[in-house]
Amino acid sequence: MYTAKGQLDRDALIRQYSPLVRRLAHHMMAKLPPSVQVDDLIQVGLIGLSEALTRFEASQGVQFETFATQRIRGAMIDELRDNDWMSRGSRKSQKDIEAALHRLEHRLGRSPSEREIAAELRMDLEDYQTLLAKVQGTQLVYLEDMSGADGDDSFLDRHLVDNDVDPLQMLRDQRLRQALVDAIKLLPEREQHIMSMYYEQDMNLKEIAAVLGVTESRICQLHSQSIARLRAKMRAH
């Protein structure tokens, strides 16, 4: 597209390819924790699109959409690497809870109660529940989990960028999903209901609280605890 003066119409091209940016952002979000905001990915994706318009050369023998897709995804991945989506203190607290859960489940042979988890952490119940509220928003998969052995920085790229389908990786993913389904079935019944309403029925914490007749902060605590239980169970996968 060109202007009346024969110059490349960047604004028109950005409008034309902005749906591509949104599509790539939403596709990437399917593999990221909800703490990552899709609007943030779209904004950096638009910057990647603008850079693609500046750098594209038809003589390279590559279609613009293919070139732009690589630049847009690259900008999004760089943004994910550059931002810490969870504070260091909250991440440590979450890992402390997971470790306590792992020890208790191995020792008890069942899912421990909140009071048992608090005791394992050498806290009273109220302090433990306060800690759960502190780590609210923690998710089943953290960006730091998307790092391979020996500092494999390309791991994130391979798992967020569509490359040729690897049958072995597909099998691993299927096993992981089944392991997650099995782990959810082992959660305490109330936490199973919360996870179902939040992730399957797309209800927010306030709506879940109204259904269960408790406060929103209590749902937040139980959601954080459920995530910790699942992460502790999924460590072997």
Side-chain angles (χ1 to χ4, degrees):
M1 293 182 180
Y2 295 89
T3 64
K5 296 181 179 180
Q7 297 175 332
L8 193 67
D9 192 338
R10 293 175 59 88
D11 291 341
L13 284 169
I14 287 177
R15 286 195 298 271
Q16 178 180 343
Y17 286 101
S18 59
L20 172 64
V21 174
R22 289 193 293 272
R23 184 166 68 249
L24 292 172
H26 283 283
H27 177 75
M28 192 173 287
M29 284 297 297
K31 302 178 183 180
L32 294 170
S35 55
V36 180
Q37 299 296 314
V38 68
D39 287 345
D40 292 336
L41 289 184
I42 290 173
Q43 288 301 315
V44 296
L46 288 171
I47 294 173
L49 173 59
S50 179
E51 291 177 351
L53 288 169
T54 299
R55 297 174 180 270
F56 180 70
E57 295 180 8
S59 60
Q60 294 175 333
V62 179
Q63 290 186 344
F64 176 73
E65 184 167 335
T66 301
F67 180 78
T69 296
Q70 293 174 344
R71 300 293 302 186
I72 293 165
R73 281 176 169 154
M76 291 177 181
I77 290 172
D78 286 345
E79 174 73 5
L80 293 171
R81 286 201 182 101
D82 291 343
N83 287 276
D84 185 0
W85 297 93
M86 182 181 178
S87 72
R88 185 174 300 176
S90 292
R91 186 177 288 110
K92 181 183 183 303
S93 296
Q94 179 74 3
K95 289 186 178 295
D96 288 344
I97 295 171
E98 291 167 22
L101 279 161
H102 183 74
R103 293 192 301 269
L104 284 169
E105 289 183 352
H106 184 266
R107 190 161 71 232
L108 301 174
R110 59 173 173 79
S111 292
S113 68
E114 280 184 275
R115 196 172 293 279
E116 288 170 331
I117 300 169
E120 182 71 14
L121 290 168
R122 298 181 179 180
M123 295 179 165
D124 59 34
L125 182 58
E126 184 177 351
D127 287 341
Y128 171 60
Q129 291 175 341
T130 298
L131 183 63
L132 286 174
K134 175 185 175 183
V135 299
Q136 64 174 307
T138 55
Q139 302 301 327
L140 185 59
V141 177
Y142 302 146
L143 296 183
E144 67 174 19
D145 292 335
M146 296 183 180
S147 57
D150 302 322
D152 180 7
D153 289 337
S154 66
F155 185 90
L156 180 61
D157 304 75
R158 294 200 307 273
H159 282 70
L160 292 180
V161 177
D162 290 330
N163 295 318
D164 293 337
V165 175
D166 179 351
L168 181 59
Q169 186 59 46
M170 287 182 63
L171 180 60
R172 290 193 186 111
D173 289 345
Q174 290 170 358
R175 289 174 177 171
L176 179 62
R177 282 193 291 269
Q178 186 57 52
L180 178 57
V181 170
D182 293 341
I184 290 174
K185 291 178 180 178
L186 295 176
L187 289 174
E189 185 174 359
R190 194 180 204 187
E191 291 180 30
Q192 285 189 47
H193 290 160
I194 291 172
M195 297 295 281
S196 175
M197 285 186 279
Y198 189 81
Y199 291 102
E200 295 179 18
Q201 301 177 39
D202 200 27
M203 297 172 64
N204 59 41
L205 298 183
K206 184 176 182 179
E207 292 168 337
I208 297 172
V211 170
L212 296 182
V214 297
T215 64
E216 184 176 349
S217 62
R218 179 57 178 155
I219 295 299
C220 177
Q221 293 168 2
L222 292 173
H223 176 261
S224 294
Q225 182 169 265
S226 299
I227 293 296
R229 290 188 197 273
L230 291 174
R231 283 181 56 84
K233 291 179 185 297
M234 297 296 291
R235 280 183 174 182
H237 296 277

